[in-house]
Amino acid sequence: MKLRRTTIYFLSLIAGLSVSAQSVLSNQSAAADMEEQVFIHYLAWYGEGSDGNHWADGTAQEPIVGFYNSQSWSTHLYHILLSSAVGVDGLVVNVRTDYDEVSLKKVLPSLQRIVDIDADFDYKLAVSYDDQDMTLESVKSELEVLKSDIIGGTSQYLHLNEEPVIFIWNYDGFLTSEEYREAVTATFPDNSPVLLRNEIDFNTTEDAIDSYYPWVQGFDEKGENWGEGYLDWYYRTLQIREDIEFATAGAWPGFDDRSASWGQNRWIDRKEGETFQQTWDLIHKYQTESAIKWVILETWNDWNEGTEIEPSKEHGFTYVTKTAENIGTFKGESYPVNDTLFSASTKIYLAAQMIESGERDSAEFYPYFEDAVASFIEKDPLSTIATLEEIFNPTVALTTQALSADINVYPNPSSGVVNILVPQKEVNVSIHDASGKIIYTQSVDGEVDNAIQWDAKSRKGFFFIEISEGEESIVKRVLIK
């Protein structure tokens, strides 16, 4: 994204103004019934591999899962599940090109996959129009597609008071706030959308925009300017804007476009997570007095300009951990800070890739995948990982279907006794630890009882249960927590 980076503070303009208590109370009253929500600005413009669309333009860091494809459902599920786990309420897809539009349409069925697994999975989708090169006619055309194909194609689209929400990433010299309001009103005559625009518009005198959100500001040669003055001004200015129904905040971890093909050698030093925390600290400071109800994380995955909080090979899970902590503070809730859970999300991505590519048969292995996703949503990473193992390393039966069909090992995972149900025939049962060492054996004569109980209370990890009949055998994997 070739970003417009004009930093206009207008500090001198407002230095002599006192905040109107009446205005503040008015804003707070209007926002009082709104829930605090956090959304990620999401880039869906990447093609497969390091030479793929946008990856080839250069990146500051590298995703922990490698250079993914933004039009793959594996990618979508990984991002949606991980961000949801740390308290994010939805993604705002950046749309500028036809490629972005195709990716957006593919996100819909991906999100539906998760809802089909867990009907209570509440995660929203919205669109941010990058208005570079936009005209009034082209935006009306885009809005028609949004209305029919996107909003009309999902129950997960973000609404506020039953009105769809649309974000605008504005460039100087293109459409005005009034023109955007004209376009959305023409397209949605019955429920005119809620409009959010980046950066405050001082040229609009009408109620064209419902809320603003700040965008990444700062930059100096040393990377020390992270936008503190701009953000402080932004939150204080919203307090005196009577036309704004609620305030929207922004948080960013840093910035670095020095590797991007369009880069201008601009950067904001991440300072090992300190910059991200500083932007969040201002949100916490102004949350009440500025009536902040929404936060935009800028960004989840703009790797070209180094603003991503998605896990990277360089920073690991540092930024999703900080995201969980700060969203918890913002909402007054608790979200897991758990590297095992975060790692489980990457395994979900890899398993989904195997199914999506045809490396694993969908009919056979997708049910395992659904179970793993359900466990992940329940914040049970060990069950997630154990179930995914059935996709990564499926049980190889060196036997007849007659033997394998009658074997059942439960519960799996287990924290104590494991029940092993074997066929009504003479079989030998051997249990191996992860190194292959036999730690338990028992023979079944097939006449009295075909159920074995193995007490594993003192053990942890993966174990392998081998059931043999003559020269034929089958292996079942079990996780002891």
Side-chain angles (χ1 to χ4, degrees), residues 270-300:
R270 286 177 176 251
K271 296 177 292 185
E272 299 182 348
E274 182 182 347
T275 295
F276 192 46
Q277 188 59 53
Q278 287 172 318
T279 61
W280 266 109
D281 286 345
L282 283 179
I283 293 172
H284 301 320
K285 174 183 176 181
Y286 284 107
Q287 180 175 0
T288 301
E289 55 193 286
S290 294
I292 295 173
K293 288 297 182 179
W294 286 0
V295 176
I296 310 296
L297 300 182
E298 303 164 355
T299 63
W300 178 257

Side-chain angles (χ1 to χ4, degrees), residues 178-228:
E178 284 77 13
E179 287 173 323
Y180 271 108
R181 178 55 66 186
E182 176 187 342
V184 297
T185 301
T187 309
F188 299 86
D190 298 325
N191 54 340
S192 187
V194 175
L195 285 183
L196 288 89
R197 170 180 162 146
N198 73 302
E199 301 187 359
I200 298 175
D201 185 356
F202 287 94
N203 296 316
T204 178
T205 57
E206 301 177 14
D207 294 337
I209 302 298
D210 297 289
S211 185
Y212 295 99
Y213 58 100
W215 196 257
V216 188
Q217 300 278 357
F219 320 118
D220 59 27
E221 292 183 358
K222 296 182 179 180
E224 295 177 351
N225 182 356
W226 53 269
E228 180 180 13

Side-chain angles (χ1 to χ4, degrees), residues 306-414:
T307 57
E308 79 290 330
I309 61 172
E310 177 191 343
S312 68
K313 293 183 178 179
E314 292 79 5
H315 303 295
F317 301 122
T318 296
Y319 292 95
V320 289
T321 296
K322 285 187 172 293
T323 297
E325 293 170 343
N326 282 286
I327 292 180
T329 300
F330 178 65
K331 294 183 180 180
E333 299 182 20
S334 178
Y335 295 95
V337 178
N338 186 325
D339 281 2
T340 304
L341 183 67
F342 301 157
S343 296
S345 71
T346 68
K347 293 182 181 295
I348 284 176
Y349 169 72
L350 296 173
Q353 275 196 316
M354 297 178 79
I355 296 173
E356 188 173 13
S357 68
E359 185 177 349
R360 293 287 186 269
D361 178 69
S362 180
E364 180 178 357
F365 291 100
Y366 196 74
Y368 288 114
F369 182 77
E370 289 180 311
D371 289 344
V373 169
S375 295
F376 184 88
I377 293 172
E378 293 297 321
K379 310 295 191 302
D380 185 352
L382 293 180
S383 294
T384 301
I385 293 169
T387 305
L388 292 174
E389 277 298 309
E390 295 292 345
I391 299 175
F392 296 133
N393 301 297
T395 300
V396 179
L398 305 176
T399 183
T400 62
Q401 287 295 320
L403 176 60
S404 62
D406 294 333
I407 295 173
N408 191 12
V409 176
Y410 63 94
N412 186 12
S414 174

Side-chain angles (χ1 to χ4, degrees), residues 12 21 60 111 147 175 216 253 264 269 275 280 303 380-381:
S12 60
L111 178 54
K147 181 179 181 180
L175 296 183
V216 188
Q264 300 176 35
D269 190 354
T275 295
W280 266 109
W303 296 91
D380 185 352

Side-chain angles (χ1 to χ4, degrees), residues 41 92-96 126-130 166-169 213:
H41 191 87
V92 181
V93 182
N94 188 87
V95 173
R96 180 189 173 196
V127 174
S128 172
Y129 286 112
D130 185 328
I166 299 173
F167 293 79
I168 303 165
W169 209 103
Y213 58 100

Side-chain angles (χ1 to χ4, degrees), residues 37-247:
Q37 296 190 78
V38 179
F39 305 99
I40 55 175
H41 191 87
Y42 186 74
L43 286 306
W45 57 19
Y46 298 108
E48 190 73 43
S50 59
D51 294 329
N53 193 52
H54 265 279
W55 293 122
D57 292 318
T59 66
Q61 283 84 223
E62 182 178 343
I64 202 169
V65 297
F67 297 107
Y68 50 74
N69 182 353
S70 290
Q71 297 185 353
S72 160
W73 64 262
S74 304
T75 300
H76 303 154
L77 263 65
Y78 164 56
H79 290 154
I80 292 170
L81 288 169
L82 177 57
S83 61
S84 175
V86 297
V88 170
D89 297 284
L91 54 80
V92 181
V93 182
N94 188 87
V95 173
R96 180 189 173 196
T97 67
D98 291 342
Y99 190 94
D100 305 336
E101 192 84 56
V102 171
S103 297
L104 170 64
K105 291 179 180 179
K106 291 188 175 183
V107 171
L108 296 185
S110 299
L111 178 54
Q112 188 60 45
R113 283 178 183 268
I114 304 175
V115 175
D116 288 342
I117 295 170
D118 185 344
D120 294 326
F121 187 75
D122 187 15
Y123 191 91
K124 300 305 181 185
L125 164 74
V127 174
S128 172
Y129 286 112
D130 185 328
D131 87 342
Q132 195 171 181
D133 305 323
M134 281 279 200
T135 65
L136 187 57
E137 292 308 312
S138 68
V139 77
K140 287 181 178 179
S141 177
E142 291 279 0
L143 290 170
E144 287 291 349
V145 173
L146 175 67
K147 181 179 181 180
S148 60
D149 296 355
I150 308 302
I151 297 175
T154 180
S155 61
Q156 303 300 119
Y157 195 86
L158 177 63
H159 285 71
L160 179 62
N161 298 326
E162 301 184 353
E163 296 175 342
V165 178
I166 299 173
F167 293 79
I168 303 165
W169 209 103
N170 174 260
Y171 285 81
D172 287 336
F174 292 98
L175 296 183
T176 65
S177 298
E178 284 77 13
E179 287 173 323
Y180 271 108
R181 178 55 66 186
E182 176 187 342
V184 297
T185 301
T187 309
F188 299 86
D190 298 325
N191 54 340
S192 187
V194 175
L195 285 183
L196 288 89
R197 170 180 162 146
N198 73 302
E199 301 187 359
I200 298 175
D201 185 356
F202 287 94
N203 296 316
T204 178
T205 57
E206 301 177 14
D207 294 337
I209 302 298
D210 297 289
S211 185
Y212 295 99
Y213 58 100
W215 196 257
V216 188
Q217 300 278 357
F219 320 118
D220 59 27
E221 292 183 358
K222 296 182 179 180
E224 295 177 351
N225 182 356
W226 53 269
E228 180 180 13
Y230 163 69
L231 285 172
D232 187 73
W233 162 82
Y234 169 82
Y235 296 131
R236 288 189 292 115
T237 300
L238 288 186
Q239 295 175 5
I240 59 175
R241 288 295 295 258
E242 296 184 13
D243 57 320
I244 303 303
E245 292 294 327
F246 64 97

